[in-house]
């Protein structure tokens, strides 16, 4: 089921970029692997946007004005080029994805990392002024739906998280995974890793289903 959803991502463009949703997922998993991340983190990188697929496509869309491509969405003088709107993703997709993976039997760590990739963006925009400038227009536009940059107390709370460094690193892989034409291992490369992970969770008392 989960790999089937990702495969369907090959026909869907990644928001505001010239790659597919599947290419984005595979690039994130590649960067995690190249960084010698543990298997749970690699799986989280691969599946971080699964919430974009596991909910009805017509629901919970973050809709924004279709701004001219040459116009910076952060600029208050930036005006809509027409009255059309575009989606910059599914609202709350990080929580939808985390919950979905948890029901399939993925570990708490995988689910926590998947759920964190939006809050890590909020953290980075709060502590690094250059980070916001580096975001794509679509990512800048979606930030307002996601709560905006963290307040000081939220920054401190996030930094005390035991998975803090991994959550920030996952976000950075997410941001980097927008390269047109990058060669990556195919989706099947990760099937055995996912099946082994789910089998281990069964041994720990979790319930799961077979991957298609």
């Amino acid at each position: 089921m989960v790999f089937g959803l990702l495969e369907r991502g090959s026909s869907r463009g990644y928001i505001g970029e010239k790659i597919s949703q599947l290419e984005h997922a595979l690039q994130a998993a590649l960067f995690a692997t190249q960084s010698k991340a543990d298997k749970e983190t690699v799986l989280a990188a691969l599946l971080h946007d699964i919430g974009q697929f596991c909910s009805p496509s017509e629901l919970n869309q973050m809709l924004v004005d279709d701004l001219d491509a040459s116009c910076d969405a952060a600029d208050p003088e930036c005006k809509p080029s027409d009255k059309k709107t575009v989606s910059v993703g599914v609202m709350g997709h990080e929580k939808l994805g985390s919950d979905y993976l948890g029901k399939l039997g993925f570990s708490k760590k995988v689910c926590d990392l998947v759920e964190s990739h939006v809050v890590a963006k909020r953290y980075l925009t709060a502590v690094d002024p250059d980070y916001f400038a580096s975001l794509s227009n679509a990512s800048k536009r979606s930030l307002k739906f996601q709560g905006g940059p963290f307040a000081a107390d939220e920054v401190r709370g996030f930094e005390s998280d035991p998975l803090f460094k991994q959550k920030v690193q996952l976000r950075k892989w997410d941001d980097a995974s927008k390269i047109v034409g990058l060669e990556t291992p195919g989706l099947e490369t990760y099937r055995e890793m996912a099946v082994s992970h789910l089998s281990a969770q069964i041994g720990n008392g979790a319930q799961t289903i077979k991957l298609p």
Side-chain angles (χ1 to χ4, degrees):
M1 182 178 289
V2 66
F3 273 37
L5 289 175
L6 284 177
E7 286 168 353
R8 287 199 288 276
S10 64
S11 64
R12 293 179 54 178
Y14 179 63
I15 304 159
E17 305 294 334
K18 295 181 179 180
I19 62 171
S20 71
Q21 289 275 4
L22 177 59
E23 288 172 319
H24 174 66
L26 292 174
Q27 288 183 20
L30 172 63
F31 295 146
T33 301
Q34 290 177 336
S35 299
K36 303 188 184 305
D38 61 65
K39 292 180 180 179
E40 287 178 298
T41 304
V42 172
L43 288 171
L46 178 70
L47 301 170
H48 73 277
D49 270 344
I50 197 69
Q52 300 280 11
F53 306 99
C54 66
S55 61
S57 60
E58 71 274 12
L59 298 178
N60 304 315
Q61 296 290 327
M62 295 182 287
L63 298 175
V64 299
D65 291 322
D66 188 5
L67 302 178
D68 185 87
S70 64
C71 183
D72 187 342
D75 185 347
E77 298 301 317
C78 190
K79 303 298 182 182
S81 57
D82 54 40
K83 297 297 183 181
K84 294 180 181 179
T85 59
V86 294
S87 172
V88 289
V90 174
M91 179 77 77
H93 73 279
E94 69 282 5
K95 183 68 165 61
L96 291 169
S98 174
D99 290 348
Y100 172 72
L101 294 173
K103 290 175 182 176
L104 291 182
F106 285 87
S107 69
K108 184 177 185 301
K109 179 177 178 179
V110 170
C111 295
D112 284 351
L113 288 174
V114 166
E115 188 170 351
S116 77
H117 74 279
V118 168
V119 294
K121 171 182 166 183
R122 296 182 62 203
Y123 168 79
L124 287 167
T125 54
V127 301
D128 183 359
D130 293 332
Y131 177 77
F132 180 83
S134 73
L135 293 175
S136 68
N137 272 348
S139 194
K140 289 174 181 175
R141 297 176 204 179
S142 62
L143 181 62
K144 69 177 183 178
F145 292 94
Q146 296 162 340
F150 270 166
D153 60 328
E154 292 175 308
V155 167
R156 291 190 294 271
F158 188 64
E159 289 176 340
S160 68
D161 189 312
L163 292 175
F164 163 68
K165 290 184 179 179
Q166 287 159 290
K167 289 179 175 181
V168 169
Q169 186 58 69
L170 177 58
R171 179 67 215 187
K172 291 182 177 179
W173 293 326
D174 181 7
D175 292 327
S177 299
K178 302 172 182 179
I179 303 172
V180 176
L182 180 67
E183 293 188 7
T184 65
L187 183 57
E188 285 301 311
T189 303
Y190 303 99
R191 184 178 293 273
E192 183 178 350
M193 182 187 297
V195 170
S196 296
H197 171 79
L198 291 171
S199 297
Q201 296 308 300
I202 293 175
N204 291 333
Q207 297 296 315
T208 189
I209 61 176
K210 183 179 179 181
L211 290 175

